[in-house]
Amino acid sequence: MSEYIPSPSAWVAEQVELYEGSGGTEGLTLRDTGLPVIIVTNRGVKTGAIRKTPLMRVADGQNYVLVASQGGAPKNPLWYANLKADPNVEIRDKTEVYKMRVREVSDPAERQRLWALAVEAFPPYAEYQKKTARTIPVLVAEPVA
Ligand code: F42
């Protein structure tokens, strides 16, 4: 078993601890927005350690759309590189945990559709895109049979 390294960002680590520690019954939303969050568990590309990243819950059927927005910061979040290097993840959505594989969405029509879903689920994504020169990566997690 690899070591789990919590996020160095205290509010993120605390959300993961509450969400996972309660078995997916507490800490389910982003701060006071009331909007739902999922927890992505993956491997760090350099350390090989287990990382846990809360993201907004953007569902597309059985799939989840993952938006590497990082609040509109100039650089992609580190989890984006981790998922590109090892796309095998577990996703916790409340009390359910799914094995999934992640791919970056490059087809323009697919990206447009999924971006619209993401903004519908979490409107601030549109503001984050305006804040940054990078095109915010959109990834999709699909169930592993
Ligand atoms: N972030 C988003 O980008 N999109 C969202 O929709 C989103 C929603 C959200 C909801 C709730 C919540 O609590 C947080 C939310 N966040 C969202 C923030 C998100 O969870 C991440 O904290 C944020 O995107 C930053 O991700 P990050 O991977 O850049 O995290 C940094 C702070 C981090 O953990 N850094 C570590 C460190 O020690 O500095 C390294 C982490 C790491 O992955 N290291 C790799 C390794 O090998 O272990 C090496 C990576 C490399 O390339 O160097």
Side-chain angles (χ1 to χ4, degrees):
M1 268 287 276
S2 305
E3 182 194 3
Y4 161 54
I5 309 183
S7 171
S9 170
W11 71 276
V12 173
E14 282 161 18
Q15 173 140 42
V16 171
E17 204 175 299
L18 188 59
Y19 200 128
E20 296 251 317
S22 66
T25 59
E26 288 177 62
L28 306 179
T29 61
L30 173 66
R31 299 201 192 95
D32 54 1
T33 63
L35 295 173
V37 167
I38 57 171
I39 307 282
V40 179
T41 299
N42 65 286
R43 209 165 277 283
V45 62
K46 291 181 186 156
T47 56
I50 304 285
R51 299 282 182 182
K52 290 182 182 280
T53 306
L55 297 175
M56 300 318 294
R57 179 185 186 277
V58 183
D60 179 31
Q62 286 189 297
N63 299 344
Y64 294 94
V65 182
L66 313 180
V67 181
S69 57
Q70 173 90 292
K75 286 195 177 160
N76 287 328
L78 294 171
W79 62 261
Y80 168 74
N82 292 336
L83 295 191
K84 297 285 281 188
D86 183 350
N88 298 300
V89 301
E90 275 185 5
I91 291 188
R92 175 180 281 279
D93 183 0
K94 301 196 184 81
T95 57
E96 304 287 336
V97 180
Y98 306 101
K99 278 203 185 315
M100 299 198 123
R101 193 161 294 129
V102 175
R103 63 180 171 86
E104 184 166 8
V105 176
S106 51
D107 175 70
E110 186 183 22
R111 189 186 184 286
Q112 198 174 14
R113 185 179 76 79
L114 297 180
W115 178 257
L117 267 186
V119 171
E120 195 181 320
F122 188 61
Y125 282 144
E127 301 306 313
Y128 296 167
Q129 182 58 86
K130 283 186 200 146
K131 263 171 67 179
T132 181
R134 70 188 164 98
T135 300
I136 292 178
V138 174
L139 303 94
V140 62
E142 296 163 322
V144 174

